[in-house]
Amino acid sequence: MLNSIYLMSGRFAGIFPVWFLVFSWSLGKAMGQTSLNVSGPSFQGTIHDNLSNKSRQGSGFTSLLLKTHPGLNLFRDDAVGINFEHIFNGAKEQRGISMFTPRRDPYELKKLGDGRIQIRWPSEGSKWGMEARMLYDLSNVGCIDLAFECSPAKDFYSPGYVAMMWASYMNRTIDRRIHFWGKEGTRTGWVTFGEGKGKTFEVGTVSHLNTKDLPYEKGAQTLNLIENPGKKFITPFYYGIVDGDHDLNTTDDRLLYLVLFDQTEPIRFAMWNFIKNEAGDTDPHSPAWDWQYVIRDPKVGKRYSYRARVVVKPFKGTEQIWKEYRAWGRYLGIELPDRENH
């Protein structure tokens, strides 16, 4: 199985591009930006810092537009997408900082070149003492490439891990469900998470088949921590279907929203559905399609990382997903698990 990559070894340069390494751990003064426009061959959008986007849940994309669908935000206009939202550790002592601290901590925005923006959370301003950086790269067709790295500067991790979570509040999906290749009970195959109707439906976190559940202390914040016991993923990706023109009456505009990762065991998928519609009911077309990154036995001063890719393209069926997954592996230059070997 794939585990956390070794950033300080010779493999570093093979995983992170040179332009990222140059900027990656350079120190300096904050750029003073509150938002930056970014554009690539397929997307255009605006990335905000926590101050600029305070009323809409903090840093990330507000908005992000697919150029083939101008004026239609992939994420909710009153919220945010690909937002570094939480850090938590299952400890009662840190309950008070286990929700939304990355949204409130100071950070710096920096434009690295065409279609590339970096966010840095300095350890000095982090309530967790976590030095962290996120790179958003829109330079490839049909996708957004992400690279995250962090280094704990304080030892807050008595339960033996730290978990970080990213959230995207979707604007108009066909339904709330995400899909992945995994195991449900004794069956291996495509698994759907988020099933149910009315006020009774699945929400929460999905972990990898071979990982142990995260421990937690009594009194700790557990909302995003506890794993679904019956559904587990095998291959490191999930997808959902977006309504391209935001008109649910049309059926010829389905968009694939696919999130791919470079690791298995440190990654967890999550789906929540907090948004209410005009009738006051939970809106199944505005779910939060999220993910988490878990570092077990974190060491102060050690650097950790993962990479991800968000693909948004016209949906052509599940074989398209496997093609994108294989292309992702070739792009990374690594061998990813397939549907047979787990």
Side-chain angles (χ1 to χ4, degrees):
M1 291 298 170
L2 300 174
N3 291 306
S4 297
I5 56 181
Y6 296 96
L7 294 184
M8 297 305 290
S9 72
R11 295 175 62 196
F12 189 98
I15 295 175
F16 284 86
V18 172
W19 52 263
F20 185 43
L21 299 181
V22 170
F23 288 99
S24 183
W25 288 93
S26 60
L27 297 176
K29 296 181 179 179
M31 298 299 290
Q33 299 281 357
T34 57
S35 65
L36 288 172
N37 295 326
V38 61
S39 182
S42 300
F43 301 94
Q44 63 184 31
T46 303
I47 292 182
H48 295 257
D49 68 8
N50 291 336
L51 178 63
S52 173
N53 212 39
K54 183 177 180 180
S55 64
R56 293 171 295 186
Q57 303 175 332
S59 63
F61 281 107
T62 304
S63 58
L64 181 66
L65 309 177
L66 195 62
K67 288 185 174 180
T68 55
H69 295 71
L72 300 177
N73 190 1
L74 281 169
F75 306 124
R76 289 185 60 89
D77 295 331
D78 58 358
V80 70
I82 315 183
N83 164 249
F84 186 17
E85 187 174 45
H86 304 304
I87 302 176
F88 53 95
N89 67 349
K92 179 181 179 180
E93 186 177 358
Q94 278 80 50
R95 179 184 176 93
I97 58 172
S98 291
M99 298 286 284
F100 303 116
T101 53
R103 288 183 173 180
R104 299 172 181 143
D105 291 341
Y107 81 57
E108 305 163 9
L109 279 175
K110 183 185 291 185
K111 194 165 187 176
L112 303 185
D114 292 341
R116 301 184 181 107
I117 287 179
Q118 175 187 271
I119 299 175
R120 176 190 173 220
W121 290 261
S123 61
E124 298 85 357
S126 168
K127 294 179 181 63
W128 287 89
M130 182 71 77
E131 177 80 22
R133 293 176 185 268
M134 188 85 173
L135 173 74
Y136 298 79
D137 182 357
L138 280 64
S139 63
N140 289 318
V141 175
C143 63
I144 300 167
D145 289 319
L146 307 167
F148 176 79
E149 65 176 15
C150 65
S151 179
K154 297 180 181 179
D155 187 0
F156 273 136
Y157 313 111
S158 56
Y161 67 91
V162 59
M164 290 160 276
M165 182 167 168
W166 284 258
S168 293
Y169 294 86
M170 307 304 296
N171 200 353
R172 199 64 168 169
T173 63
I174 298 304
D175 55 44
R176 68 172 61 90
R177 300 176 299 167
I178 60 171
H179 314 272
F180 52 88
W181 188 262
K183 199 155 190 175
E184 181 177 3
T186 59
R187 182 184 67 84
T188 299
W190 287 111
V191 178
T192 296
F193 186 69
E195 295 181 309
K197 296 180 179 180
K199 297 182 179 180
T200 305
F201 53 88
E202 292 175 312
V203 292
T205 302
V206 176
S207 59
H208 183 258
L209 179 64
N210 292 340
T211 58
K212 294 181 180 180
D213 290 350
L214 295 178
Y216 55 91
E217 298 171 354
K218 184 177 180 180
Q221 174 58 255
T222 61
L223 176 66
N224 297 299
L225 197 157
I226 298 173
E227 305 86 350
N228 184 281
K231 297 183 177 182
K232 303 293 180 180
F233 76 87
I234 294 172
T235 49
F237 66 80
Y238 70 83
Y239 79 92
I241 305 298
V242 170
D243 183 14
D245 67 358
H246 293 194
D247 182 356
L248 293 170
N249 294 316
T250 60
T251 59
D252 60 349
D253 59 333
R254 302 298 192 244
L255 295 176
L256 170 68
Y257 187 93
L258 171 65
V259 188
L260 304 141
F261 302 93
D262 68 339
Q263 303 166 46
T264 53
E265 295 179 21
I267 299 297
R268 289 148 51 104
F269 308 156
M271 195 288 297
W272 297 94
N273 202 175
F274 302 111
I275 303 296
K276 304 290 186 180
N277 59 23
E278 293 180 357
D281 299 322
T282 302
D283 186 352
H285 307 294
S286 286
W289 287 345
D290 304 342
W291 72 80
Q292 300 174 10
Y293 173 59
V294 178
I295 303 169
R296 295 182 186 257
D297 192 25
K299 305 295 185 184
V300 171
K302 185 175 181 179
R303 297 177 184 176
Y304 302 89
S305 76
Y306 75 89
R307 295 184 70 178
R309 168 174 282 182
V310 178
V311 176
V312 185
K313 294 180 179 179
F315 181 55
K316 299 178 181 178
T318 55
E319 188 54 38
Q320 173 193 18
I321 295 165
W322 291 113
K323 290 179 180 178
E324 293 288 347
Y325 179 60
R326 291 190 290 269
W328 171 236
R330 291 192 298 270
Y331 177 79
L332 295 172
I334 63 175
E335 184 177 351
L336 295 167
D338 62 33
R339 66 184 97 182
E340 301 300 333
N341 299 322
H342 56 271

